[in-house]
Every structure is written in structure tokens, then in C-alpha cells.
């Protein structure tokens, strides 16, 4: 068993525990360079690896909201980690698309 580490300051003061650093909340994750709503991404992992999808927006959790669209290539409305996709220079016009109501709670079970 590992023992806890205590600091001692001579015989006059009592031993005290070493304080661990508290984790800071990182906040909103930075978006990859070149990703703007309407960008076409290539997914690198998961069921749809190798498929192209359209980037819609970044969610509060830092994940990307993407879609195929489903009728075109079978990729549904999905959350994807930025590290699992490559951005391309191709852009798609998103006028008329309403995805404002979609957030992380939408994907909760």
C-alpha cells in the first residue's frame, strides 16, 4: 500500500498534508483552424470513418455538430470530436437550415 506524504516543519509545528492542485475548468474548446459552419469534414473514426459530413456548429461541450445530410450519404445529425475529423476547403451554404434548437441535451438518453 502507498503511504500518504506528509510535510513536517520541525518538532514545534504539527505535520500537515500536501495540498494538491485543483483542476481548472478549461471552458469552451478552441475550434480547429479553418472550420467554419458549412465546412465539409472527413470523419476519421467511428462508424462513419472516411465519410464526408457538413459542420453545422460547435456545441457547449466542445464537440462538433455534423450531418451528412442523412438523405445524401447516410450520416445522421451527430456529435464528433474535433480530433476525429479533418477539415476540407469545401464549403456548403447553410441558408435556410435551422439547427438552433440542437444542443447537448438533445442527445441525452
Amino acid at each position: 500500500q502507498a503511504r500518504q506524504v506528509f510535510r513536517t516543519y520541525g518538532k514545534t509545528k504539527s505535520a500537515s498534508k500536501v495540498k494538491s492542485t485543483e483542476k481548472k475548468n478549461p471552458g469552451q474548446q478552441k475550434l480547429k483552424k479553418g472550420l467554419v459552419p458549412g465546412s465539409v469534414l472527413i470523419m476519421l473514426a467511428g462508424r462513419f470513418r472516411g465519410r464526408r459530413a457538413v459542420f453545422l456548429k460547435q456545441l457547449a461541450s466542445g464537440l462538433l455538430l455534423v450531418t451528412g445530410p442523412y438523405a445524401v450519404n447516410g450520416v445522421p445529425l451527430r456529435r464528433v470530436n474535433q480530433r476525429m475529423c479533418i477539415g476540407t476547403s469545401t464549403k456548403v451554404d447553410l441558408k435556410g437550415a435551422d439547427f438552433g434548437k440542437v444542443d447537448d441535451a438533445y442527445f441525452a438518453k
Side-chain angles (χ1 to χ4, degrees):
Q1 271 186 344
R3 288 185 168 192
Q4 285 187 330
V5 179
F6 291 97
R7 264 198 200 133
T8 56
Y9 298 99
K11 294 180 180 179
T12 56
K13 292 187 178 182
S14 62
S16 63
K17 277 190 181 181
V18 177
K19 290 185 180 180
S20 63
T21 56
E22 292 180 18
K23 288 187 178 182
K24 292 182 181 176
N25 189 5
Q28 183 71 3
Q29 199 172 10
K30 276 189 189 173
L31 201 55
K32 255 186 182 180
K33 193 172 122 183
L35 283 187
V36 293
S39 295
V40 174
L41 309 175
I42 301 171
M43 302 220 262
L44 299 176
R47 182 175 162 204
F48 299 101
R49 66 181 164 274
R51 296 276 184 98
R52 284 159 182 79
V54 180
F55 167 58
L56 301 177
K57 71 176 183 177
Q58 187 178 25
L59 300 170
S61 62
L63 297 173
L64 308 180
L65 181 67
V66 300
T67 185
Y70 186 79
V72 176
N73 65 359
V75 179
L77 202 61
R78 236 178 121 79
R79 294 181 296 179
V80 180
N81 194 320
Q82 292 187 57
R83 303 187 99 179
M84 301 300 166
C85 60
I86 299 173
T88 65
S89 59
T90 310
K91 306 282 187 272
V92 175
D93 187 23
L94 292 179
K95 285 184 184 168
D98 182 27
F99 45 85
K101 292 181 181 177
V102 180
D103 57 356
D104 288 310
Y106 176 87
F107 294 96
K109 291 188 178 186

